[in-house]
Amino acid sequence: MEEIRVHKITKSGFGSQPGQIPSDLKVPLMIFDYLNESALNSTKAKSKYITEQLKAIKDKKTNASFRCSRPGFLPFDVLGRLLPSARGDGVPPAAPNVVLDKNGKLLKSPLYLVLNMKDGFVAAFAFLYTNADGTLKLEYLCAAPKFKGSGKALLLLLKEGLIFKNVVRGVTRLYLDNNSGIPGFYTKYGFVKIGKTRPNQYQQLDPKGRLDKDDKIRLVPKILNVYKASMLPSKVASKRSVGKKFVSKRPLAPTRVIRTRRKPLSPPKTPIYKLRRRTIYG
């Protein structure tokens, strides 16, 4: 069974209170999170998060195909709090409403967790927040290799904006920074390039391997392309013109349908897997 889960996060941590990350998502999110197995084998001491993640992976009998293949795409720690790395990426602390300072800088904002769940596992993960101007910013998007195509399908749902109708209203723009490593990847899905990120907004390890004063690979600025898309339908079937009679171009449907073995009904236009999908809000 496929489920689309949309949660508005206004409080920190996992829990049952309104605005918290639902507790039943803790284990699925841990199973989905990236795990550097080669580095894990060379480390003797394991953090509390890694210990719980390994236990969840063992209990559910999963492997790397169930996990996001890129690090840093899950912004929560073991208690459901924002990680420092997420704060460094510009994700604000969770709050019921947008809070700005006197200069218009974003201090707090509602966060949105959108999951494509299949058979109890996270197939695709998206994390968004509300910008200072009221638009939505897609910060993280990742999919598990086992569920091929689920990430692209979730991206299209985000762009349509229909899944947000019960948790946020009036949003017509979606922004993102292209961290996919594939130039022009998002243009295929209706996004338009509008500029680049600030020089110090993101950082990465020096590709040339140069060291800093502590003999560690130094961090250098990482510049990403910024894209935006309209969350309104891109095509309008028809419009009523003022003062003119509206005439539908579609042929009239038959008034009676006879079912026979020689002439069965045509299959539904909506695929069966879409008919079985449901959306859960929290």
Side-chain angles (χ1 to χ4, degrees):
M1 179 68 178
E2 181 181 15
E3 295 178 345
I4 302 297
R5 298 187 58 165
V6 183
H7 298 281
K8 183 177 181 180
I9 310 301
T10 59
K11 296 180 181 179
S12 178
F14 293 100
S16 58
Q17 296 182 13
Q20 287 188 309
I21 306 172
S23 300
D24 66 314
L25 290 178
K26 181 177 180 179
V27 171
L29 286 172
M30 278 190 166
I31 293 174
F32 177 78
D33 195 11
Y34 171 82
L35 181 65
N36 190 337
E37 297 183 8
S38 59
L40 185 64
N41 295 331
S42 60
T43 304
K44 295 181 179 179
K46 298 180 178 61
S47 66
K48 182 179 179 180
Y49 182 88
I50 293 296
T51 302
E52 292 197 24
Q53 184 184 15
L54 291 173
K55 183 178 183 303
I57 291 173
K58 182 178 179 181
D59 292 342
K60 296 297 182 179
K61 300 179 181 180
T62 61
N63 52 37
S65 66
F66 287 83
R67 298 196 290 269
C68 175
S69 58
R70 305 178 68 186
F73 276 67
L74 200 69
F76 310 115
D77 63 8
V78 69
L79 299 178
R81 301 171 300 189
L82 275 181
L83 292 170
S85 57
R87 297 286 292 116
D89 288 340
V91 178
N97 301 299
V98 174
V99 179
L100 309 177
D101 64 8
K102 61 181 181 180
N103 298 320
K105 182 180 178 181
L106 186 63
L107 298 179
K108 297 181 180 180
S109 172
L111 312 177
Y112 301 96
L113 180 62
V114 184
L115 303 173
N116 185 349
M117 304 288 295
K118 293 185 179 180
D119 300 325
F121 296 102
V122 178
F125 167 95
F127 186 76
L128 309 92
Y129 63 88
T130 305
N131 280 319
D133 59 357
T135 59
L136 282 179
K137 171 69 182 300
L138 173 59
E139 192 62 44
Y140 303 112
L141 175 67
C142 194
K146 181 177 180 61
F147 306 101
K148 187 176 181 181
S150 58
K152 296 178 181 178
L154 187 59
L155 178 62
L156 291 176
L157 283 177
L158 295 174
K159 182 183 175 297
E160 289 176 1
L162 299 179
I163 59 175
F164 293 110
K165 62 182 180 180
N166 290 346
V167 293
V168 58
R169 299 181 183 276
V171 177
T172 59
R173 291 288 183 273
L174 177 65
Y175 290 83
L176 61 85
D177 302 330
N178 185 3
N179 198 24
S180 66
I182 305 175
F185 174 79
Y186 290 99
T187 57
K188 298 182 296 184
Y189 303 99
F191 287 81
V192 179
K193 180 181 174 182
I194 60 171
K196 295 182 178 295
T197 56
R198 300 187 304 272
N200 295 320
Q201 184 173 349
Y202 296 101
Q203 291 185 327
Q204 64 178 348
L205 296 176
D206 191 342
K208 297 182 179 180
R210 290 173 292 190
L211 305 178
D212 57 14
K213 60 181 180 180
D214 297 325
D215 292 332
K216 296 181 179 179
I217 299 178
R218 68 178 186 176
L219 295 175
V220 296
K222 183 178 182 179
I223 305 298
L224 303 177
N225 292 324
V226 180
Y227 288 80
K228 76 172 182 178
S230 171
M231 296 175 70
L232 298 175
S234 58
K235 292 184 179 180
V236 179
S238 60
K239 296 183 178 180
R240 296 177 182 266
S241 57
V242 179
K244 295 183 179 180
K245 185 177 180 181
F246 174 74
V247 179
S248 175
K249 294 183 179 180
R250 294 185 178 181
L252 295 176
T255 57
R256 186 181 179 188
V257 178
I258 301 176
R259 305 183 185 186
T260 64
R261 292 185 178 180
R262 293 185 178 181
K263 193 176 181 181
L265 291 175
S266 58
K269 294 182 179 180
T270 304
I272 298 300
Y273 75 91
K274 286 191 176 181
L275 293 175
R276 295 180 60 189
R277 184 178 64 200
R278 62 174 179 170
T279 304
I280 300 175
Y281 295 93

